[in-house]
Amino acid sequence: MAKLEVRKGSKVFKKDGQTIYALQETNMQIEDKKFVSIIGPSGCGKSTLFNIIAGLLKPSTGHVLLDGHDIVGKSGYVGYMLQKDLLLPWRTILDNIILGLEVKGVSKKDGRKRALPMLQKYGLKGFESHYPNELSGGMRQRAALLRTLLYDKDVILLDEPFGALDAQTRLLMQTWLLKIWEDFKKTILFVTHDIDEAIYLSDEIYVMSHRPGRMKAKVTVNLPRPRNELTLSHDSFIQLKQDLLAMLKEEQVT
Amino acid sequence: MDGNDEHVDLTQSKIEFISKPDKEIETELEIEDETKKSRKTKRVALFGQIVLGIVIIALWEILTRLKVIDPYYWSSPSLIVQTGLQVLKEGSLYTDLLYTAGATILGFILGTIGGAILGLSFWWSSLYSRITEPYMVAFNAIPKLALAPVLVILFGIGFNSKVVLAFMMTIIVTALAAYSGVKAVDQDLERLLYSLGAKRYHVFSKVVVPTSMPWIVSSLKINIALSLAGTIVGEFISAQHGIGRMILYAGQVMNINLVWVGVVVLSILSIVMYFGTLYLEKWLLKGH
């Protein structure tokens, strides 16, 4: 059984008398502990799809199944992280990371106790009591991701988490993310419009079409793990990149 | 052409390494000490503030003594101090100050807290806030001091009517400020909290209240002047005690010096309240 399944999910709304398809009927089956990316032109409905899976948006049709249970319209079942780090500026890094635990009813003290070793292990040692505005973009994204991880859900949605970072930091963060994924054994669903990033990280890549968005292709990435900088110059990496570029080129507005 | 192609191979990129300098560059650096610098600026500013104050008071004294400005209307620092000490000795100034400060501070606290609660409550329902907002704006536009005579009749000539006036002066301003804060809440932050399984009260306490805090705090300083004005006008209309009553009485008997004593005491009261709010601000905006 698939870990996460989107069955005939779609979103349609009306504005000024016009019917707008934000997402056409979409089917996805994500297996447990896989790293799956979704790429597509901007405005193709990637974020709509994520909001539906996260239960923040009700789809017009269809269902979202987590371990076979319908979670349509119910939030709190999957971890979710956006491009903006959304750290609360008035809380220290440590207190930001325990936000999900606090909402669950864990006391601040217990939450801190649980979060501290994780923070120190994953590159934020010494920054526990700093405020977000004292950290670099990469560090802030680390904190945001640790917050999502500490919330401890099997499935994590990442919506262009590294989109605002510079190229070098981004590569560091990707390697960091792969390490975390291997350590925590989560199922990750990752939205990006960076083809390199998608190939480098994923087991599978879904390609979406231009608006109205629908799934156009599913690509299986057959690159050995663990991956590192050398993967980026692998022959099959380059081949796959060319194929995906060609596919996305078709989707450009004509 | 052919010969050139052999020498210049355009496909060949090249990496050249640049060696590190053997020794660390030795220069005499001028290191700027930022904390020292800012501390110095602060000291200079404080010194300037004190000097400016002394100059103004001295000018006032000198110009009134030289009769360049009329000492009958403008009094003078020395006369104000003299009159002030006199009423202090008589003991009436204490009682008056106690009444005025009490009513102002109580009205200020009730108005600020009430306004903050009212403004923050608008987050809970957009329908409720839409229906209420125009009435709030309208109520804010009413010159509430014009209602003072009615309020004094309603709540009596004692302490209560002054508190109510100070309260009414501050509550709507604070509510509108808090509501601006509510409107500035980042929708994505709300989404994030919901994705973490948060209920509405979580979002309210962890995002809405802290986001609105700077807005609420910014209304504190305005509220000092507003609540003080409310109390004084209340005392002008009818009161047995209070600095406002003292000023009115002094004006009626042409004791201009005493009027000035009242004004100075009120200034001191508002300065004390100002420093109180600075302290409050620091505490409320921890981490902001």
Side-chain angles (χ1 to χ4, degrees):
Chain A
M1 186 176 58
K3 181 77 190 170
L4 180 78
E5 190 178 345
V6 179
R7 218 179 263 172
K8 292 185 174 178
S10 77
K11 184 71 190 176
V12 192
F13 57 92
K14 266 193 170 178
K15 200 180 177 188
D16 301 328
Q18 269 189 317
T19 311
I20 297 165
Y21 286 84
L23 184 70
Q24 274 191 324
E25 202 172 284
T26 299
N27 292 298
M28 274 177 105
Q29 286 197 333
I30 315 282
E31 274 163 56
D32 198 15
K33 299 182 180 50
K34 289 278 181 193
F35 200 121
V36 179
S37 287
I38 301 171
I39 58 173
S42 45
C44 71
K46 292 172 290 194
S47 296
T48 307
L49 178 62
F50 262 29
N51 281 332
I52 289 171
I53 296 173
L56 300 171
L57 193 69
K58 269 215 164 123
S60 304
T61 63
H63 293 279
V64 180
L65 302 176
L66 181 71
D67 294 322
H69 300 289
D70 199 345
I71 56 161
V72 149
K74 293 181 196 161
S75 60
Y77 284 88
V78 296
Y80 190 16
M81 177 184 161
L82 294 100
Q83 182 178 342
K84 281 202 267 178
D85 53 66
L86 296 174
L87 297 170
L88 301 176
W90 51 83
R91 281 177 171 235
T92 62
I93 293 302
L94 183 58
D95 283 356
N96 260 294
I97 288 175
I98 62 170
L99 195 64
L101 293 175
E102 259 182 74
V103 167
K104 266 190 196 168
V106 178
S107 76
K108 261 193 180 175
K109 207 177 140 196
D110 287 350
R112 284 183 188 140
K113 225 182 266 168
R114 264 199 251 173
L116 202 57
M118 212 162 127
L119 214 127
Q120 290 172 337
K121 189 174 174 197
Y122 294 103
L124 286 170
K125 197 181 169 105
F127 291 104
E128 303 87 355
S129 46
H130 282 61
Y131 286 97
N133 63 7
E134 297 168 318
L135 266 63
S136 66
M139 288 293 193
R140 294 166 63 121
Q141 285 306 79
R142 279 180 202 222
L145 187 64
L146 288 178
R147 174 182 62 199
T148 314
L149 277 172
L150 201 66
Y151 184 53
D152 204 17
K153 296 290 158 190
D154 297 342
V155 178
I156 291 180
L157 311 179
L158 303 174
D159 192 351
E160 291 192 45
F162 309 143
L165 302 177
D166 62 87
Q168 283 178 26
T169 313
R170 188 186 279 221
L171 192 60
L172 277 175
M173 292 294 289
Q174 288 161 357
T175 310
W176 180 80
L177 177 61
L178 281 180
K179 180 173 183 290
I180 284 213
W181 173 63
E182 273 149 27
D183 287 0
F184 285 85
K185 313 228 179 309
K186 302 275 183 193
T187 307
I188 292 185
L189 206 55
F190 191 95
V191 160
T192 179
H193 52 232
D194 181 338
I195 293 174
D196 286 23
E197 184 170 73
I199 303 171
Y200 182 50
L201 297 172
S202 317
D203 297 310
E204 285 165 13
I205 301 171
Y206 281 89
V207 184
M208 283 184 88
S209 71
H210 185 69
R211 196 167 212 154
R214 63 176 186 84
M215 288 303 170
K216 187 182 165 185
K218 180 184 166 183
V219 178
T220 306
V221 181
N222 238 332
L223 286 164
R225 288 193 191 269
R227 295 177 189 169
N228 51 39
E229 292 76 41
L230 292 176
T231 314
L232 297 171
S233 50
H234 206 282
D235 284 343
S236 44
F237 183 98
I238 290 161
Q239 185 57 49
L240 205 50
K241 185 174 169 176
Q242 281 169 355
D243 293 347
L244 284 169
L245 271 172
M247 233 188 277
L248 282 178
K249 210 170 174 185
E250 286 170 25
E251 292 307 325
Q252 270 168 13
V253 196
T254 43
Chain B
M1 278 300 269
D2 283 349
N4 266 353
D5 278 353
E6 274 170 43
H7 292 297
V8 184
D9 187 351
L10 290 171
T11 60
Q12 187 71 56
S13 304
K14 208 168 131 189
I15 297 177
E16 273 183 75
F17 288 99
I18 301 162
S19 58
K20 268 191 192 171
D22 297 338
K23 273 189 210 163
E24 298 259 334
I25 305 166
E26 281 174 41
T27 46
E28 280 181 32
L29 291 173
E30 261 188 52
I31 300 165
E32 284 186 25
D33 189 338
E34 302 242 338
T35 30
K36 219 176 177 180
K37 235 175 147 185
S38 79
R39 227 181 269 157
K40 200 182 166 194
T41 321
K42 250 187 205 167
R43 258 200 316 245
V44 173
L46 181 66
F47 179 71
Q49 284 167 347
I50 292 168
V51 168
L52 184 63
I54 292 171
V55 166
I56 289 172
I57 292 170
L59 267 178
W60 188 359
E61 184 71 40
I62 293 163
L63 292 177
T64 45
R65 287 210 178 177
L66 295 173
K67 305 241 155 82
V68 178
I69 49 178
D70 192 338
Y72 178 73
Y73 299 111
W74 293 98
S75 188
S76 75
S78 58
L79 275 173
I80 293 169
V81 171
Q82 236 173 33
T83 321
L85 288 174
Q86 201 183 317
V87 271
L88 260 181
K89 247 184 249 161
E90 287 165 12
S92 65
L93 189 61
Y94 279 124
T95 334
D96 286 335
L97 181 59
L98 213 62
Y99 269 82
T100 304
T104 306
I105 292 170
L106 197 58
F108 172 88
I109 291 172
L110 292 176
T112 306
I113 292 175
I117 291 171
L118 188 61
L120 290 171
S121 75
F122 289 136
W123 178 77
W124 289 88
S125 157
S126 62
L127 186 65
Y128 153 64
S129 66
R130 276 196 186 196
I131 292 172
T132 335
E133 195 185 3
Y135 290 95
M136 282 235 304
V137 175
F139 184 73
N140 191 41
I142 295 175
K144 284 158 288 287
L145 293 177
L147 281 172
V150 184
L151 291 171
V152 171
I153 295 167
L154 249 170
F155 294 96
I157 61 165
F159 188 70
N160 293 348
S161 58
K162 282 77 188 170
V163 177
V164 170
L165 265 163
F167 169 78
M168 281 188 40
M169 289 293 284
T170 47
I171 183 165
I172 303 295
V173 179
T174 317
L176 288 174
Y179 187 37
S180 302
V182 165
K183 284 193 214 163
V185 169
D186 188 343
Q187 298 286 315
D188 285 337
L189 266 181
E190 285 192 39
R191 266 209 303 163
L192 168 82
L193 259 97
Y194 288 127
S195 85
L196 294 171
K199 301 278 179 290
R200 293 204 80 192
Y201 66 87
H202 287 127
V203 181
F204 182 73
S205 65
K206 295 190 195 308
V207 175
V208 178
V209 174
T211 304
S212 313
M213 205 44 91
W215 269 267
I216 296 170
V217 162
S218 75
S219 68
L220 288 178
K221 282 178 193 156
I222 307 162
N223 284 352
I224 297 174
L226 287 175
S227 56
L228 197 57
T231 306
I232 298 298
V233 169
E235 288 172 356
F236 275 2
I237 286 169
S238 181
Q240 283 160 322
H241 304 281
I243 303 288
R245 190 211 60 91
M246 183 189 95
I247 290 174
L248 193 73
Y249 160 79
Q252 279 163 353
V253 300
M254 301 285 179
N255 186 351
I256 307 292
N257 291 334
L258 192 56
V259 173
W260 278 102
V261 169
V263 173
V264 169
V265 168
L266 290 179
S267 310
I268 293 169
L269 175 60
S270 60
I271 288 168
V272 170
M273 283 180 74
Y274 177 81
F275 281 109
T277 51
L278 281 189
Y279 187 76
L280 202 63
E281 248 184 64
K282 248 191 206 158
W283 181 68
L284 286 172
L285 294 183
K286 247 189 279 170
H288 264 283

